[in-house]
Amino acid sequence: MKLEKSKLIGNKTIQISGSKSISNRLLILESLFKNIQIGNLSNSQDTQLLKKALSENTEIVDIHHAGTAMRFLTSYYSIKEGKTTILTGSKRMKERPIKNLVTALQNLGVEIEYMENEGFPPLKIKGRKITKTTVDVPANISSQFITSLLLIAGKLENGLEINLIGEVTSRSYIEMTLSILTKFGIKNSFVGNKVKVEHFNENNNSSPVNYEVESDWSSASYFYSFAALARETIHLKSFYKESTQGDSAIAKIYENFFGIKTTFTEGEHQLTLQPIENFQFPEKIVLDMNDCPDIAQTLCVTAASLKIPFEISGLGTLRVKETDRLLALYNELKKLGTETEITDLMIKSVSFNDPEDNISIKTYQDHRMAMSFAPFCLMKELNIEDEDVVEKSYPMFWEDLDEILTIK
């Protein structure tokens, strides 16, 4: 997709669909407990794939690129007593590690077999009743492994206690999961490195619980980038001030480093992104994004566009996402004129030069690469390759950009 050099039209309002992270958690709980009514469900491809998998009673389940669905369904099918499920996905999905989750489930007594390569999908899962009550899980790989176990824990007759080994990555996502469980009456605790979920007696909780899904903060991050580069106001709908989403950290990050103040209109659940007048940009951005790694790409592109030096750490999980996001950033930021250094955990800028002519951004089958680089069109014309990847999390992204951009 060719993006002409553009200008942002100020004071436009965008309605982003429900959070993919929350929606996918709710779909698993809805399937397990039946007492949930969901509103404003995400329209993302990942959520639709998960919904389809849960509605079909098939032996082979193909979730394509949907990493969240792969992890959540691994635990979900593990407690389907007497049912054998083959859980598979795309070529890239077969390269994304899942061993820590599988090992945890095997230690709980589930029979799971790797069908191709050790530690990776596809998986053959033979569901059974889990009676063990404790399990150890490395905490520094993916919070979705932990959430996957937490979502089924209330269904286990003895509940579950998870001992988190090592430094906890993306703690906010675990806390979001526990907050959702609490809303449905599933008792839990998170003390130190121990997470405990009690058995949930559905007979004592027959009345349905309505849950209106908040819009997606990671999707909001791209509009923070547009506001920061254009110095124009943008309004976003269906967001809550007291959000459980870890990516809501974007509000404070962009206020501190890019001078974009967030204000909330309570009754309308609307937030306004407003540039601070005469804001002085920092000499350097140094930030640990361990709790919100999914918005790191957005921040790096914003900083690169403004030529603000940056050093972003806490990014160990980005190596095993839809693509190796650190390597992808290293490659594509060069086209914007930004040289970087990367390790397994961080990325930092080294120098800023003139951007290339005829910029074409590779997306590596990664939705966030497409959307995080799009705001650079305010600086220079560019092409986004394989633009349809946005369907994974934000299918209406390009249509929404048409509402706020005009050709300069």
Side-chain angles (χ1 to χ4, degrees):
M1 169 175 284
K2 183 178 180 181
L3 296 177
E4 303 280 0
K5 185 174 182 181
S6 303
K7 180 180 178 181
L8 187 69
I9 306 169
N11 279 308
K12 287 286 190 176
T13 301
I14 297 294
Q15 169 80 58
I16 298 173
S17 85
S19 160
K20 175 167 70 81
S21 295
I22 295 175
S23 294
N24 290 354
R25 285 160 170 78
L26 292 175
L27 285 175
I28 295 291
L29 293 173
E30 178 190 47
S31 186
L32 289 174
F33 297 109
K34 312 300 182 187
N35 67 331
I36 298 170
Q37 302 291 329
I38 308 172
N40 195 34
L41 192 72
S42 170
N43 62 0
S44 68
Q45 187 181 66
D46 275 20
T47 297
Q48 299 310 311
L49 285 167
L50 178 57
K51 187 175 182 180
K52 181 174 182 288
L54 291 169
S55 67
E56 296 178 345
N57 186 28
T58 57
E59 181 180 358
I60 300 174
V61 177
D62 185 347
I63 51 73
H64 304 285
H65 297 310
T68 306
M70 170 61 71
R71 296 176 179 117
F72 290 1
L73 289 173
T74 298
S75 295
Y76 175 83
Y77 289 125
S78 292
I79 60 171
K80 293 296 179 181
E81 295 179 49
K83 177 177 171 61
T84 297
T85 304
I86 295 171
L87 188 56
T88 188
S90 65
K91 180 178 181 293
R92 173 58 183 165
M93 187 58 60
K94 294 179 181 182
E95 297 169 349
R96 298 181 68 176
I98 198 167
K99 186 172 185 177
N100 287 320
L101 175 57
V102 169
T103 298
L105 288 164
Q106 288 171 334
N107 289 340
L108 287 169
V110 181
E111 187 177 339
I112 304 179
E113 173 188 339
Y114 297 112
M115 299 188 68
E116 293 181 11
N117 297 316
E118 179 81 12
F120 300 89
L123 307 173
K124 185 175 184 178
I125 305 166
K126 295 183 178 180
R128 63 175 54 188
K129 184 176 184 178
I130 294 176
T131 57
K132 293 183 179 179
T133 58
T134 63
V135 69
D136 295 344
V137 180
N140 62 345
I141 303 298
S142 172
S143 64
Q144 288 183 11
F145 293 166
I146 300 158
T147 284
S148 179
L149 295 167
L150 293 175
L151 291 174
I152 65 165
K155 197 73 175 177
L156 309 184
E157 65 177 23
N158 299 315
L160 186 64
E161 182 176 288
I162 303 173
N163 300 312
L164 304 178
I165 310 301
E167 181 185 1
V168 180
T169 296
S170 304
R171 176 181 289 267
S172 59
Y173 285 97
I174 300 172
E175 292 172 342
M176 178 174 73
T177 302
L178 296 176
S179 173
I180 292 171
L181 295 182
T182 298
K183 186 174 179 65
F184 295 114
I186 303 173
K187 295 180 180 179
N188 61 79
S189 62
F190 189 0
V191 180
N193 272 39
K194 290 186 183 295
V195 191
K196 186 174 182 179
V197 177
E198 296 183 15
H199 171 69
F200 181 67
N201 189 336
E202 296 170 75
N203 295 328
N204 297 336
N205 298 271
S206 56
S207 58
V209 178
N210 295 313
Y211 199 113
E212 192 73 15
V213 181
E214 180 188 17
S215 291
D216 188 60
W217 274 94
S218 55
S219 295
S221 73
Y222 315 118
F223 296 98
Y224 275 89
S225 187
F226 274 108
L229 299 184
R231 313 313 294 173
E232 290 282 0
T233 298
I234 301 176
H235 308 284
L236 302 176
K237 295 193 73 172
S238 297
F239 288 88
Y240 305 145
K241 190 171 184 177
E242 303 301 326
S243 177
T244 59
Q245 296 180 57
D247 289 340
S248 63
I250 195 77
K252 187 57 66 178
I253 290 171
Y254 268 67
E255 181 172 349
N256 291 344
F257 296 116
F258 302 115
I260 299 299
K261 184 174 178 60
T262 303
T263 56
F264 290 84
T265 306
E266 294 288 354
E268 299 176 17
H269 299 302
Q270 176 173 290
L271 56 86
T272 297
L273 320 184
Q274 189 166 20
I276 298 171
E277 286 188 25
N278 302 316
F279 179 77
Q280 294 296 311
F281 291 108
E283 291 185 6
K284 185 176 183 180
I285 298 170
V286 179
L287 191 61
D288 183 339
M289 299 186 75
N290 182 64
D291 284 339
C292 51
D294 280 348
I295 54 178
Q297 289 152 290
T298 309
L299 184 141
C300 288
V301 173
T302 308
S305 301
L306 295 169
K307 293 182 166 52
I308 302 173
F310 57 88
E311 185 173 329
I312 313 301
S313 59
L315 304 181
T317 60
L318 295 194
R319 291 285 197 185
V320 293
K321 295 287 188 175
E322 283 77 354
T323 186
D324 180 338
R325 286 179 173 167
L326 287 173
L327 181 58
L329 279 172
Y330 173 85
N331 291 334
E332 302 310 304
L333 286 173
K334 280 184 180 181
K335 299 172 183 178
L336 309 190
T338 302
E339 296 286 342
T340 60
E341 290 180 358
I342 58 173
T343 69
D344 285 342
L345 301 174
M346 58 88 70
I347 183 170
K348 69 175 181 179
S349 61
V350 175
S351 65
F352 297 105
N353 308 294
D354 291 335
E356 294 180 1
D357 293 325
N358 303 315
I359 297 171
S360 189
I361 300 298
K362 288 184 64 176
T363 52
Y364 306 87
Q365 297 183 328
D366 184 353
H367 53 130
R368 299 204 190 283
M369 287 298 292
M371 293 184 284
S372 62
F373 276 81
F376 193 75
C377 73
L378 297 175
M379 320 302 288
K380 188 178 176 70
E381 174 188 299
L382 75 160
N383 181 61
I384 303 290
E385 298 177 19
D386 191 20
E387 70 272 14
D388 290 342
V389 292
V390 301
E391 293 179 2
K392 180 177 174 63
S393 64
Y394 191 169
M396 297 299 294
F397 180 71
W398 303 118
E399 287 82 353
D400 286 345
L401 287 200
D402 286 340
E403 291 295 314
I404 64 171
L405 296 179
T406 183
I407 297 175
K408 195 166 182 178

